[in-house]
């Protein structure tokens, strides 16, 4: 019953966000800035700038349940459950990072992450202790990205990660998965759960620079 109530509450929260944005009551949604340094038909390499995220650790077998749990706590944080009583605008994507381990999804631990808007990058609001959130500062680094459509589910995220790994193995970034990364891979979700058509999701994997041209050279586009 409690889990059902939590799920229903999250659906209501996200519907309010969707309606507000569709009626232009919210600002343009911010995203972490990056430049594309390599692009192929089924993946690209991006160089992300330094940034700060807020992360919710979750111990859970299911990716979907972990994402709901973590996002619920993050949503409370951006609605003012922080020591500054700051209201924070929604950003995208919502990122769920999978910690390597055992289990049907190769993990029983996740970090659900919220990118802090530019206004709060230098001085993030402190979350209330009971939310069990922690700032996650990123250094500038390279990420391999594969897009996929539909909904990100327990049933498809591993397959999408494997497709990205196969693509990388045939590219100049073969054997370049960052050995220092804490995460096996991450799933980035850009849309409200109420959007059915044209959904955008991505698999992210940290990579080191290519031996061919270096991660930061020859940018194709900047965002």
């Amino acid at each position: 019953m409690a889990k059902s109530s939590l799920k229903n509450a999250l659906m209501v929260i996200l519907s309010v966000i969707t309606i507000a944005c569709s009626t232009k009551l919210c600002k343009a949604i911010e995203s972490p800035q990056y430049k594309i340094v390599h692009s192929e038909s089924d993946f690209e390499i991006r160089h992300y700038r330094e940034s700060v995220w807020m992360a919710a650790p979750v111990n859970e077998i299911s990716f979907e349940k972990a994402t709901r749990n973590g996002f619920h706590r993050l949503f409370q944080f951006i609605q003012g459950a922080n020591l500054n009583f700051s209201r924070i605008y929604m950003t995208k994507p919502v990122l769920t990072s999978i910690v390597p381990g055992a289990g049907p999804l190769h993990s029983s631990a996740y970090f659900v992450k919220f990118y802090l808007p530019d206004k709060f990058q230098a001085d993030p609001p402190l979350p209330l202790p009971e939310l069990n959130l922690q700032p996650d500062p990123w250094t500038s680094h390279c990420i391999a990205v594969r897009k996929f459509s539909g909904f990100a589910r327990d049933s498809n995220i591993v397959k999408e990660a494997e497709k990205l790994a196969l693509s990388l193995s045939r590219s100049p970034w073969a054997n370049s998965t960052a050995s220092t990364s804490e995460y096996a891979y991450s799933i980035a979700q850009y849309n409200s759960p109420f959007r059915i058509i044209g959904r955008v999701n991505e698999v992210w994997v940290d990579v080191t620079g290519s031996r061919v041209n270096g991660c930061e050279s020859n940018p194709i586009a900047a965002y």
Side-chain angles (χ1 to χ4, degrees):
M1 181 67 70
K3 290 184 178 180
S4 176
S5 298
L6 173 60
K7 183 176 181 180
N8 291 337
L10 285 175
M11 295 293 281
V12 171
I13 289 168
L14 290 172
S15 66
V16 170
I17 296 172
T18 303
I19 293 170
C21 288
S22 66
T23 56
K24 299 184 179 180
L25 294 178
C26 66
K27 292 184 178 180
I29 298 179
E30 293 183 36
S31 297
Q33 295 184 334
Y34 65 87
K35 63 183 179 183
I36 300 173
V37 298
H38 181 86
S39 183
E40 297 194 15
S41 60
D42 55 351
F43 79 97
E44 64 189 25
I45 304 293
R46 299 174 184 168
H47 180 257
Y48 277 86
R49 299 181 181 180
E50 293 181 356
S51 60
V52 180
W53 301 59
M54 192 61 68
V58 183
N59 290 318
E60 177 63 69
I61 292 297
S62 166
F63 159 82
E64 294 175 59
K65 291 180 180 178
T67 301
R68 285 197 298 268
N69 179 300
F71 181 76
H72 176 65
R73 288 148 54 198
L74 289 166
F75 188 80
Q76 292 179 73
F77 165 72
I78 68 175
Q79 287 298 296
N82 54 75
L83 299 183
N84 308 62
F85 303 106
S86 297
R87 303 273 291 195
I88 304 170
Y89 282 103
M90 190 64 193
T91 62
K92 61 181 181 181
V94 173
L95 190 68
T96 304
S97 295
I98 291 86
V99 179
L105 296 179
H106 309 300
S107 178
S108 59
Y110 301 81
F111 283 85
V112 184
K113 302 180 182 183
F114 171 85
Y115 172 72
L116 290 170
D118 288 345
K119 177 181 178 180
F120 299 102
Q121 282 287 308
D123 188 20
L126 296 175
L128 296 182
E130 58 267 29
L131 294 180
N132 188 25
L133 303 178
Q134 58 196 49
D136 182 23
W138 287 20
T139 58
S140 60
H141 65 289
C142 298
I143 297 177
V145 177
R146 172 186 169 82
K147 294 182 182 291
F148 65 99
S149 59
F151 286 88
R153 304 290 197 195
D154 290 336
S155 59
N156 66 355
I157 62 168
V158 174
K159 293 178 182 177
E160 295 296 337
E162 289 173 344
K163 290 176 182 177
L164 176 57
L166 180 60
S167 297
L168 289 173
S169 71
R170 298 169 175 172
S171 78
W173 274 265
N175 302 316
S176 66
T177 302
S179 59
T180 57
S181 176
E182 301 176 54
Y183 312 111
Y185 58 94
S186 300
I187 301 296
Q189 299 184 72
Y190 288 84
N191 305 113
S192 157
F194 299 96
R195 180 166 184 170
I196 306 300
I197 300 174
R199 295 186 61 82
V200 177
N201 313 289
E202 294 173 342
V203 182
W204 291 8
V205 174
D206 291 348
V207 295
T208 56
S210 163
R211 292 183 301 172
V212 175
N213 59 7
C215 177
E216 297 188 43
S217 65
N218 300 322
I220 297 171
Y223 296 82

